[in-house]
Amino acid sequence: MKHKLLKIKKLAVVFGTFAPMHTGHVDFITKAKRENDGVLIIVSGTNTEEDRGTRDGLHLNRRFRYVREVFHDDELVVVDKLDEEGMLAYPNGWEPWLKTLHKLIKDNTDYQFEEMTFYVGEEDYQKPLLSYFKKVFANEYCVVKDQINDFGKIREKEVAITIIDRTLVPVSGTEIRKNPLVYWRYITMPFRRHFTKKVLVVGSASGGKTTLIKDLGRVFNAPISLEYARHYQEVYNVRDDELDTNDYIRLFANQNEQTSNVIDSGSHSGIVFVDTNATVTMAYVDYYLKGVISEEEYQALKLSYKVAISKEKWDLIVLIPPKSAYVNDGFRDMTMASQDIRDGFTNHLIELLEQDGFKDKLLILDSDIDTFFLDNYKKTVKAIKDRLNIEI
């Protein structure tokens, strides 16, 4: 919940694009907080393609939320955003930018501070900031009773500039965007979810997905998100062919949540492996329920599917063809053991993946049955190296 900086004498103001925010930013913000009584962080930029962060998928609104998340438990830090859309590019847009900044300072404090210090990385910012705010403060006065000076007048607010020493952390936002895994240790936790490489493994049941996912997790020292449906079926003791509309709605939501929690855990170095997604779940909906349930129910499931798939971003999708033996584990529907049915299901899954816009991320494994498991592992590891530039 948004709060204000109240009853402080010394205010620090830090602004930047933060695309992404890294530990260097956090370090100087922490120092600014400790030098003052509170910090106002202004995340600036736009949600348009003119913004360098937006071009890399980190638009202003997302950066604002992530920065606020970094400091969610710090009462001495307040985060707001300054949307520069429609403003002229630096240095021609100073006047509207400064007026907007002034308003944000008023909105996020009780405006009773005596001193305000801007922490900036560019010396060119000093003159416009000092000129504007000294002029503003000359016409505005602190109303705190003990601020009467020796001449009986209310003292004006003071404004100062501190130049940030950027050499303390040997990395920039540009370098991180180009090589996030190289600089992974510097990326703050919320921003890591944006740069995490996500590898999805899909296919029909009993195809070796779980085994491959576990092996990849071990060899890359990375977390995995197993198929949520299997956990769900074990908890509720329900077979594949017994799942109904309500079950599938929960599967769509909870698989995505489970995967998001793995990514957000921070217990990885930039890559996670996931078994099954909303597309696979929808393929099962089409196999078991299409034409069986009412059209209204089916459309409700399609809506849940579209909502879930809209949140999914994959860097590599590995599809395992149904060549291994179909094993009865007590939950699987053995009518799907037919090779024709498994092939038909796989082809439909491929169609859905392509409709979802994942065609260019898709790797369909093709291995001889005699070397099926070894080849699938080796080809997946090679694809991770070639496409994601990540090696064991």
Side-chain angles (χ1 to χ4, degrees):
M1 185 174 180
K2 186 176 179 180
H3 63 281
K4 290 187 176 184
L5 294 171
L6 306 174
K7 298 180 180 179
I8 62 172
K9 291 185 176 182
K10 299 172 65 177
L11 170 68
V13 179
V14 177
F15 54 82
T17 54
F18 303 113
M21 172 170 272
H22 54 70
T23 53
H25 295 133
V26 177
D27 178 57
F28 74 68
I29 289 170
T30 300
K31 291 174 181 174
K33 180 184 71 174
R34 289 173 175 268
E35 287 179 336
N36 297 273
D37 302 316
V39 180
L40 172 60
I41 302 174
I42 302 296
V43 185
S44 61
T46 72
N47 295 301
T48 69
E49 290 300 312
E50 296 176 355
D51 184 287
R52 62 192 177 192
T54 299
R55 289 194 294 271
D56 285 315
L58 281 171
H59 54 71
L60 174 62
N61 290 345
R62 178 170 294 169
R63 299 197 303 267
F64 165 59
R65 288 192 57 170
Y66 285 178
V67 173
R68 192 168 57 179
E69 189 177 334
V70 171
F71 294 97
H72 75 280
D73 59 349
D74 196 327
E75 295 182 354
L76 299 180
V77 177
V78 171
V79 183
D80 209 337
K81 62 181 176 180
L82 196 163
D83 193 336
E84 299 172 348
E85 186 172 354
M87 297 182 186
L88 294 175
Y90 172 86
N92 300 314
W94 268 118
E95 184 175 354
W97 195 91
L98 290 167
K99 286 182 178 179
T100 305
L101 176 61
H102 187 199
K103 182 179 184 302
L104 291 177
I105 292 169
K106 286 185 173 181
D107 290 345
N108 289 284
T109 70
D110 59 8
Y111 211 56
Q112 300 302 306
F113 54 85
E114 299 174 19
E115 301 175 29
M116 180 174 68
T117 302
F118 289 103
Y119 289 75
V120 301
E122 304 291 342
E123 292 188 5
D124 291 347
Y125 295 168
Q126 290 189 74
K127 185 176 180 180
L129 286 167
L130 289 174
S131 175
Y132 177 86
F133 282 97
K134 283 184 176 180
K135 182 178 180 180
V136 167
F137 293 162
N139 297 311
E140 297 177 342
Y141 301 96
C142 298
V143 295
V144 180
K145 188 175 181 180
D146 62 2
Q147 290 179 340
I148 305 298
N149 64 18
D150 295 337
F151 300 98
K153 294 182 178 179
I154 299 176
R155 192 167 64 226
E156 298 175 8
K157 291 180 174 66
E158 297 179 3
V159 58
I161 300 286
T162 294
I163 302 296
I164 299 164
D165 184 358
R166 291 181 168 180
T167 64
L168 297 178
V169 177
V171 66
S172 68
T174 301
E175 291 173 317
I176 290 175
R177 291 195 300 275
K178 289 181 178 179
N179 297 291
L181 300 190
V182 173
Y183 300 104
W184 189 257
R185 66 177 293 267
Y186 297 109
I187 304 173
T188 52
M189 293 293 286
F191 284 88
R192 285 185 176 185
R193 69 173 66 106
H194 174 76
F195 293 104
T196 298
K197 299 298 183 183
K198 295 169 279 291
V199 178
L200 171 68
V201 178
V202 299
S204 64
S206 200
K209 299 190 303 297
T210 301
T211 302
L212 180 59
I213 282 289
K214 289 181 178 179
D215 287 344
L216 292 170
R218 279 190 286 267
V219 76
F220 282 93
N221 196 27
I224 62 175
S225 175
L226 294 175
E227 182 179 7
Y228 177 78
R230 180 44 44 94
H231 166 75
Y232 182 90
Q233 289 178 267
E234 290 174 352
V235 170
Y236 293 99
N237 196 22
V238 57
R239 289 164 46 91
D240 288 346
D241 52 335
E242 296 172 336
L243 295 169
D244 60 20
T245 299
N246 290 329
D247 293 320
Y248 278 110
I249 288 175
R250 295 172 75 177
L251 294 183
F252 282 127
N254 292 337
Q255 177 74 59
N256 188 280
E257 181 181 8
Q258 174 182 283
T259 300
S260 296
N261 289 339
V262 170
I263 294 170
D264 287 352
S265 68
S267 59
H268 58 85
S269 57
I271 185 170
V272 300
F273 296 95
V274 180
D275 176 356
T276 302
N277 74 323
T279 312
V280 179
T281 305
M282 190 64 205
Y284 279 109
V285 168
D286 287 342
Y287 180 78
Y288 284 112
L289 299 184
K290 189 175 183 180
V292 176
I293 59 177
S294 68
E295 182 62 21
E296 183 180 11
E297 279 188 87
Y298 180 72
Q299 291 303 322
L301 285 172
K302 284 196 72 173
L303 179 60
S304 295
Y305 159 57
K306 291 298 182 183
V307 169
I309 208 68
S310 68
K311 300 178 181 178
E312 296 185 9
K313 308 293 180 186
W314 305 107
D315 297 284
L316 175 65
I317 300 176
V318 178
L319 185 141
I320 303 178
K323 292 188 177 182
S324 57
Y326 195 87
V327 179
N328 186 356
D329 65 355
F331 293 97
R332 292 190 179 120
D333 171 17
M334 293 308 292
T335 64
M336 286 196 75
S338 162
Q339 190 63 43
D340 288 342
I341 291 177
R342 295 176 79 190
D343 288 340
F345 178 90
T346 301
N347 290 334
H348 180 54
L349 176 57
I350 293 172
E351 291 175 2
L352 289 178
L353 287 167
E354 292 179 349
Q355 290 173 18
D356 291 338
F358 296 135
K359 185 176 182 178
D360 63 331
K361 304 295 183 182
L362 184 60
L363 168 66
I364 301 176
L365 298 175
D366 184 17
S367 306
D368 294 333
I369 188 62
D370 293 337
T371 57
F372 183 73
F373 294 106
L374 177 59
D375 283 354
N376 286 349
Y377 169 75
K378 291 169 67 176
K379 289 178 179 179
T380 302
V381 170
K382 185 176 186 302
I384 293 170
K385 176 183 176 181
D386 295 343
R387 300 193 188 192
L388 309 184
N389 196 32
I390 300 175
E391 299 195 50
I392 295 173

